[in-house]
Short mmCIF file of all heavy atoms in Angstrom, two decimals:
data_model
loop_
_atom_site.label_atom_id
_atom_site.label_comp_id
_atom_site.label_asym_id
_atom_site.label_seq_id
_atom_site.Cartn_x
_atom_site.Cartn_y
_atom_site.Cartn_z
N GLY A 19 -1.97 -2.98 -15.78
CA GLY A 19 -1.77 -4.42 -15.66
C GLY A 19 -0.32 -4.80 -15.82
O GLY A 19 0.05 -5.98 -15.73
N THR A 20 0.56 -3.79 -16.02
CA THR A 20 2.00 -4.04 -16.17
C THR A 20 2.78 -3.09 -15.26
O THR A 20 3.86 -2.64 -15.61
CB THR A 20 2.43 -3.87 -17.63
OG1 THR A 20 2.10 -2.53 -18.07
CG2 THR A 20 1.74 -4.87 -18.54
N GLY A 21 2.22 -2.79 -14.09
CA GLY A 21 2.83 -1.82 -13.19
C GLY A 21 3.71 -2.40 -12.11
O GLY A 21 4.16 -1.67 -11.22
N ALA A 22 3.99 -3.70 -12.15
CA ALA A 22 4.76 -4.34 -11.09
C ALA A 22 6.26 -4.17 -11.31
O ALA A 22 6.75 -4.19 -12.45
CB ALA A 22 4.41 -5.82 -11.01
N PHE A 23 7.00 -4.04 -10.22
CA PHE A 23 8.46 -4.11 -10.26
C PHE A 23 8.88 -5.57 -10.32
O PHE A 23 8.22 -6.45 -9.74
CB PHE A 23 9.07 -3.50 -9.01
CG PHE A 23 8.98 -1.99 -8.91
CD1 PHE A 23 9.19 -1.37 -7.70
CD2 PHE A 23 8.70 -1.21 -10.02
CE1 PHE A 23 9.13 0.01 -7.58
CE2 PHE A 23 8.62 0.18 -9.92
CZ PHE A 23 8.85 0.79 -8.69
N THR A 24 9.99 -5.84 -10.97
CA THR A 24 10.61 -7.16 -10.88
C THR A 24 11.33 -7.26 -9.53
O THR A 24 11.67 -6.24 -8.92
CB THR A 24 11.63 -7.39 -12.00
OG1 THR A 24 12.73 -6.48 -11.82
CG2 THR A 24 11.00 -7.16 -13.38
N PRO A 25 11.61 -8.48 -9.05
CA PRO A 25 12.39 -8.61 -7.81
C PRO A 25 13.74 -7.89 -7.88
O PRO A 25 14.19 -7.32 -6.88
CB PRO A 25 12.55 -10.12 -7.67
CG PRO A 25 11.33 -10.68 -8.32
CD PRO A 25 11.07 -9.78 -9.50
N GLU A 26 14.36 -7.89 -9.06
CA GLU A 26 15.65 -7.19 -9.21
C GLU A 26 15.49 -5.68 -9.01
O GLU A 26 16.31 -5.03 -8.34
CB GLU A 26 16.23 -7.47 -10.60
CG GLU A 26 17.58 -6.81 -10.85
CD GLU A 26 18.09 -7.01 -12.28
OE1 GLU A 26 17.40 -7.67 -13.08
OE2 GLU A 26 19.18 -6.48 -12.59
N GLN A 27 14.43 -5.10 -9.57
CA GLN A 27 14.18 -3.67 -9.39
C GLN A 27 13.88 -3.36 -7.92
O GLN A 27 14.38 -2.39 -7.36
CB GLN A 27 13.02 -3.23 -10.27
CG GLN A 27 13.34 -3.23 -11.76
CD GLN A 27 12.12 -2.97 -12.61
OE1 GLN A 27 11.06 -3.54 -12.38
NE2 GLN A 27 12.27 -2.11 -13.61
N ALA A 28 13.04 -4.20 -7.30
CA ALA A 28 12.68 -3.98 -5.90
C ALA A 28 13.90 -4.08 -4.99
O ALA A 28 14.03 -3.31 -4.02
CB ALA A 28 11.62 -4.99 -5.48
N ALA A 29 14.82 -5.00 -5.31
CA ALA A 29 16.03 -5.17 -4.50
C ALA A 29 16.88 -3.90 -4.53
O ALA A 29 17.54 -3.55 -3.53
CB ALA A 29 16.83 -6.36 -4.99
N ARG A 30 16.86 -3.19 -5.63
CA ARG A 30 17.62 -1.94 -5.75
C ARG A 30 17.07 -0.89 -4.78
O ARG A 30 17.82 -0.18 -4.12
CB ARG A 30 17.54 -1.44 -7.20
CG ARG A 30 18.65 -0.51 -7.61
CD ARG A 30 18.60 -0.20 -9.10
NE ARG A 30 19.00 -1.33 -9.93
CZ ARG A 30 19.04 -1.30 -11.26
NH1 ARG A 30 18.68 -0.20 -11.90
NH2 ARG A 30 19.42 -2.36 -11.95
N VAL A 31 15.74 -0.84 -4.68
CA VAL A 31 15.11 0.10 -3.72
C VAL A 31 15.44 -0.32 -2.29
O VAL A 31 15.77 0.52 -1.44
CB VAL A 31 13.58 0.14 -3.94
CG1 VAL A 31 12.92 1.10 -2.94
CG2 VAL A 31 13.23 0.55 -5.36
N THR A 32 15.37 -1.61 -2.01
CA THR A 32 15.63 -2.12 -0.66
C THR A 32 17.05 -1.83 -0.23
O THR A 32 17.30 -1.38 0.90
CB THR A 32 15.35 -3.63 -0.59
OG1 THR A 32 14.01 -3.88 -1.02
CG2 THR A 32 15.53 -4.16 0.82
N ARG A 33 18.03 -2.07 -1.11
CA ARG A 33 19.43 -1.80 -0.76
C ARG A 33 19.64 -0.32 -0.46
O ARG A 33 20.35 0.05 0.48
CB ARG A 33 20.36 -2.25 -1.90
CG ARG A 33 20.54 -3.75 -2.01
CD ARG A 33 21.71 -4.11 -2.90
NE ARG A 33 21.54 -3.61 -4.27
CZ ARG A 33 20.93 -4.30 -5.24
NH1 ARG A 33 20.41 -5.49 -4.99
NH2 ARG A 33 20.83 -3.80 -6.46
N THR A 34 19.01 0.54 -1.27
CA THR A 34 19.16 1.99 -1.06
C THR A 34 18.53 2.40 0.26
O THR A 34 19.12 3.18 1.03
CB THR A 34 18.52 2.76 -2.22
OG1 THR A 34 19.07 2.31 -3.46
CG2 THR A 34 18.77 4.25 -2.09
N ALA A 35 17.33 1.89 0.55
CA ALA A 35 16.66 2.23 1.81
C ALA A 35 17.49 1.77 3.00
O ALA A 35 17.64 2.51 3.99
CB ALA A 35 15.27 1.61 1.85
N ALA A 36 18.02 0.56 2.93
CA ALA A 36 18.83 0.03 4.04
C ALA A 36 20.09 0.87 4.24
O ALA A 36 20.46 1.18 5.39
CB ALA A 36 19.20 -1.43 3.75
N ALA A 37 20.73 1.25 3.15
CA ALA A 37 21.94 2.08 3.27
C ALA A 37 21.62 3.44 3.87
O ALA A 37 22.35 3.94 4.73
CB ALA A 37 22.58 2.23 1.88
N GLU A 38 20.53 4.04 3.43
CA GLU A 38 20.15 5.36 3.95
C GLU A 38 19.80 5.30 5.44
O GLU A 38 20.05 6.25 6.19
CB GLU A 38 18.95 5.92 3.17
CG GLU A 38 19.27 6.31 1.74
CD GLU A 38 20.06 7.61 1.65
OE1 GLU A 38 20.19 8.30 2.69
OE2 GLU A 38 20.54 7.94 0.55
N LEU A 39 19.20 4.17 5.86
CA LEU A 39 18.79 4.02 7.25
C LEU A 39 19.86 3.39 8.13
O LEU A 39 19.71 3.30 9.35
CB LEU A 39 17.50 3.19 7.33
CG LEU A 39 16.25 3.86 6.74
CD1 LEU A 39 15.13 2.84 6.55
CD2 LEU A 39 15.78 5.01 7.62
N GLY A 40 20.94 2.91 7.50
CA GLY A 40 22.04 2.32 8.24
C GLY A 40 21.72 0.98 8.85
O GLY A 40 22.17 0.66 9.96
N VAL A 41 20.94 0.15 8.14
CA VAL A 41 20.56 -1.17 8.64
C VAL A 41 20.81 -2.23 7.56
O VAL A 41 21.08 -1.90 6.40
CB VAL A 41 19.07 -1.22 9.06
CG1 VAL A 41 18.80 -0.22 10.17
CG2 VAL A 41 18.15 -0.96 7.87
N GLU A 42 20.74 -3.48 7.96
CA GLU A 42 20.83 -4.58 7.00
C GLU A 42 19.54 -4.65 6.18
O GLU A 42 18.46 -4.39 6.72
CB GLU A 42 21.06 -5.91 7.71
CG GLU A 42 22.45 -6.06 8.31
CD GLU A 42 23.53 -6.04 7.24
OE1 GLU A 42 23.41 -6.80 6.26
OE2 GLU A 42 24.48 -5.25 7.38
N PRO A 43 19.62 -5.05 4.89
CA PRO A 43 18.42 -5.08 4.03
C PRO A 43 17.57 -6.32 4.25
O PRO A 43 17.21 -7.04 3.32
CB PRO A 43 19.00 -5.03 2.63
CG PRO A 43 20.33 -5.71 2.75
CD PRO A 43 20.86 -5.36 4.13
N THR A 44 17.23 -6.59 5.51
CA THR A 44 16.41 -7.76 5.87
C THR A 44 15.31 -7.31 6.82
O THR A 44 15.35 -6.21 7.38
CB THR A 44 17.26 -8.82 6.59
OG1 THR A 44 17.74 -8.25 7.83
CG2 THR A 44 18.45 -9.26 5.73
N ALA A 45 14.34 -8.20 7.02
CA ALA A 45 13.25 -7.87 7.96
C ALA A 45 13.82 -7.59 9.35
O ALA A 45 13.42 -6.63 10.01
CB ALA A 45 12.24 -9.02 8.00
N ASP A 46 14.78 -8.40 9.80
CA ASP A 46 15.38 -8.17 11.12
C ASP A 46 16.08 -6.82 11.18
O ASP A 46 16.06 -6.15 12.21
CB ASP A 46 16.38 -9.29 11.45
CG ASP A 46 15.68 -10.61 11.77
OD1 ASP A 46 14.46 -10.58 12.05
OD2 ASP A 46 16.34 -11.66 11.71
N GLY A 47 16.69 -6.42 10.05
CA GLY A 47 17.38 -5.14 10.01
C GLY A 47 16.43 -3.96 10.12
O GLY A 47 16.72 -2.96 10.80
N PHE A 48 15.29 -4.07 9.49
CA PHE A 48 14.34 -2.94 9.45
C PHE A 48 13.43 -2.87 10.68
O PHE A 48 12.82 -1.83 10.93
CB PHE A 48 13.47 -3.04 8.20
CG PHE A 48 14.15 -2.61 6.93
CD1 PHE A 48 14.55 -3.55 5.98
CD2 PHE A 48 14.41 -1.27 6.68
CE1 PHE A 48 15.18 -3.16 4.82
CE2 PHE A 48 15.03 -0.86 5.50
CZ PHE A 48 15.43 -1.81 4.57
N VAL A 49 13.33 -3.96 11.44
CA VAL A 49 12.34 -4.04 12.52
C VAL A 49 12.50 -2.93 13.55
O VAL A 49 11.51 -2.39 14.04
CB VAL A 49 12.42 -5.43 13.20
CG1 VAL A 49 11.90 -5.40 14.62
CG2 VAL A 49 11.61 -6.44 12.39
N GLY A 50 13.72 -2.54 13.87
CA GLY A 50 13.94 -1.55 14.91
C GLY A 50 13.79 -0.11 14.47
O GLY A 50 13.90 0.81 15.29
#
């Protein structure tokens, strides 16, 4: 019941994924 990430934690994962994939960390960036 306490397994959720905070938005700040999730943003850290998103920034890393975007950098690794070479895209902007937005829905438009990931779409392609």
Side-chain angles (χ1 to χ4, degrees):
T20 58
F23 288 164
T24 66
E26 181 185 0
Q27 290 173 315
R30 203 172 288 180
V31 179
T32 304
R33 286 194 300 271
T34 305
E38 291 285 350
L39 293 166
V41 299
E42 289 297 309
T44 63
D46 288 343
F48 283 107
V49 155

